[in-house]
Amino acid sequence: TLQNIGINNTQTLAPNIAYFYLQNTLGLSEEAMWKITLEAGSVLGMTPRNLDKKVSLLRRTMNLSDEDVRVILGKQPAVLHYSAERNLAPTILFLVRALDLSKSELRTLILDCPSILGYSLGNLKKKCNFFWFTLGYSDSGENGLDSVRELLVGTPKLLLCAVDTGLVPRVNFLLNE
């Protein structure tokens, strides 16, 4: 019957549809699926293989659990838009090298503020340089790097601040008070 054909076709196609990968494989809730549909709808046109490549990179570099992946995607569905090779991997590598982060520290940083994964390397470098040089942590040598790492892992939202229009004016204000 026609109904049986429709059911069989749906079951055959399910592994090749992003929606089912996100819902069944990653275990995203209906609420998270709606958020993805509204905020990053083109993700639903991607192949499950493409999505799995991105999720696998995140899992591998930060030892993420299934729940961690769901938290990141719930906060920042656009992470699935980023290229694994051109965006995610270079950003993760930069953060690890610039701040000498462990997988656990990187995990903490990204779970709190997954939007950091979408920042350009130039933007992240400018922010790290602000904390390193402008705040004077570079004068402390190795201890300075430890201090910057502790500051940013402890308060990841600092990496969300604009340097020229947010951080620098505030520091200047405090120095002039």
Side-chain angles (χ1 to χ4, degrees):
T1 66
L2 192 55
Q3 188 176 26
N4 288 340
I5 292 171
I7 291 172
N8 289 336
N9 283 340
T10 303
Q11 290 169 346
T12 303
L13 292 174
N16 298 319
I17 298 175
Y19 182 91
F20 295 112
Y21 169 80
L22 294 169
Q23 190 174 51
N24 299 339
T25 305
L26 297 182
L28 294 180
S29 66
E30 280 298 317
E31 182 181 331
M33 293 304 297
W34 275 109
K35 186 169 184 172
I36 287 172
T37 302
L38 294 171
E39 294 180 18
S42 62
V43 165
L44 298 177
M46 294 178 182
T47 65
R49 183 174 175 219
N50 182 347
L51 294 173
D52 188 57
K53 194 177 196 180
K54 297 168 190 188
V55 171
S56 294
L57 174 74
L58 294 173
R59 284 182 201 260
R60 190 174 59 252
T61 56
M62 295 178 253
N63 292 333
L64 297 177
S65 68
D66 291 344
E67 183 57 28
D68 293 338
V69 171
R70 288 190 286 272
V71 167
I72 289 171
L73 297 180
K75 287 182 177 181
Q76 189 71 21
V79 165
L80 294 172
H81 280 167
Y82 309 146
S83 165
E85 295 88 15
R86 291 188 313 270
N87 302 110
L88 294 173
T91 301
I92 289 168
L93 186 61
F94 173 81
L95 289 168
V96 167
R97 287 183 177 167
L99 299 172
D100 194 27
L101 295 173
S102 67
K103 284 186 176 188
S104 174
E105 290 167 327
L106 179 64
R107 178 184 169 276
T108 299
L109 191 76
I110 299 303
L111 276 174
D112 197 34
C113 297
S115 61
I116 292 168
L117 292 170
Y119 288 0
S120 71
L121 296 181
N123 186 347
L124 287 171
K125 184 175 182 177
K126 188 173 186 176
K127 291 170 193 265
C128 289
N129 284 340
F130 171 82
F131 292 104
W132 185 249
F133 295 110
T134 306
L135 293 184
Y137 285 115
S138 62
D139 298 336
S140 304
E142 188 65 32
N143 291 336
L145 179 57
D146 291 342
S147 298
V148 170
R149 181 178 52 251
E150 287 173 24
L151 175 69
L152 295 176
V153 171
T155 314
K157 287 182 176 29
L158 287 172
L159 283 172
L160 303 180
C161 299
V163 173
D164 295 331
T165 59
L167 295 170
V168 170
R170 285 174 176 82
V171 167
N172 287 337
F173 172 79
L174 293 170
L175 290 174
N176 292 326
E177 279 300 305

